[in-house]
Amino acid sequence: MLNGDDNMDFMSRRSIRKYKNMPVEKEIIDELLKVAIIAPTGHNARACEFIVFENEKEVKKLIGIKKAGANFLETAQAGIAVVVNCDKAGTWIEDGSVAAYTIQLKAHEMGLGSCWLQLRDRFSPNDEPSDELFAKIVELPENYRVLCFIALGYADEEKAEYTDKDINLSKVHYNSF
Ligand SMILES: Cc1cc2nc3c(=O)[nH]c(=O)nc-3n(C[C@H](O)[C@H](O)[C@H](O)COP(=O)(O)O)c2cc1C
């Protein structure tokens, strides 16, 4: 039977792009990693791995990696990059995306804000591929690719929750398009 009261609060999850100057506890990061590690993967390949950026100073190494949509790196207090061994998983984009969003949902549940930093098919101000720059920064082995970086921190901005008005049911088709 449906019991909406037990659901995680999906309506209040928003991308947070401004964070308080407050470190993210290691215990919280550990909880995020646990759910990411058990997230579903194609063929149960389990090819995702995670690079933890433990504090503000580490996150700042990524500033300049991407020409737009990365301002939140200035205040993010931690982050988790999702990298995938592409030799092991044909579904590396799907696997990595599932893990990344699982991290975001768990972060929200634990009172943390997060934002996805797209690195694949994105470029630095000098037009270098953002994923290649990332690979150099973290010394990623050649057969691995980065899917994204999830920035983390305690929110220092108010974002409106989603409401029933945002739920556009015209997107739903039953039994055929
Ligand atoms: C695949 C993907 C890539 C994204 N890349 C970025 C990004 O590089 N920079 C950014 O500020 N937000 C990024 N976002 C966050 C989206 O902009 C955000 O989810 C969307 O605007 C909806 O807002 P909400 O998360 O608050 O519901 C990304 C989200 C996804 C799913």
Side-chain angles (χ1 to χ4, degrees):
M1 196 159 86
L2 274 179
N3 181 355
D5 292 345
D6 290 338
N7 286 345
M8 191 201 305
D9 185 6
F10 286 88
M11 302 296 265
S12 59
R13 185 223 48 87
R14 298 296 314 272
S15 292
I16 297 299
R17 298 187 178 86
K18 197 164 174 242
Y19 303 95
K20 289 185 179 149
N21 188 11
M22 247 173 88
V24 178
E25 299 84 343
K26 183 185 179 309
E27 296 71 24
I28 292 194
I29 303 258
D30 288 347
E31 293 306 309
L32 307 185
L33 293 167
K34 281 186 206 164
V35 295
I37 287 167
I38 57 168
T41 59
H43 284 151
N44 201 16
R46 308 266 155 215
C48 295
E49 298 189 30
F50 306 93
I51 303 178
V52 180
F53 288 59
E54 294 185 278
N55 53 47
E56 202 186 351
K57 192 171 147 237
E58 292 301 318
V59 175
K60 284 197 160 62
K61 290 181 182 164
L62 298 181
I63 290 175
I65 202 166
K66 194 168 121 109
K67 62 178 103 176
N71 290 348
F72 54 88
L73 293 175
E74 302 277 352
T75 59
Q77 300 291 305
I80 301 176
V82 179
V83 301
V84 193
N85 182 337
C86 296
D87 291 345
K88 282 199 192 162
T91 53
W92 76 274
I93 295 176
E94 292 84 349
D95 295 350
S97 299
V98 170
Y101 188 47
T102 302
I103 292 169
Q104 289 198 280
L105 290 177
K106 187 70 185 175
H108 176 56
E109 189 189 66
M110 299 191 79
L112 267 189
S114 74
C115 193
W116 184 304
L117 180 77
Q118 179 73 14
L119 293 170
R120 210 176 48 77
D121 292 337
R122 295 292 183 271
F123 297 87
S124 75
N126 301 331
D127 281 330
E128 294 157 291
S130 301
D131 54 357
E132 289 179 16
L133 285 174
F134 179 89
K136 271 187 217 149
I137 293 168
V138 302
E139 300 176 46
L140 200 61
E142 270 201 357
N143 49 333
Y144 281 71
R145 287 201 58 190
V146 60
L147 192 276
C148 66
F149 174 80
I150 302 296
L152 298 165
Y154 291 95
D156 195 19
E157 64 173 339
E158 297 274 339
K159 296 288 282 278
E161 293 188 8
Y162 285 107
T163 69
D164 287 349
K165 282 195 202 127
D166 298 304
I167 299 176
N168 177 0
L169 292 174
S170 73
K171 306 257 183 204
V172 183
H173 310 271
Y174 290 94
N175 305 323
S176 67
F177 194 91

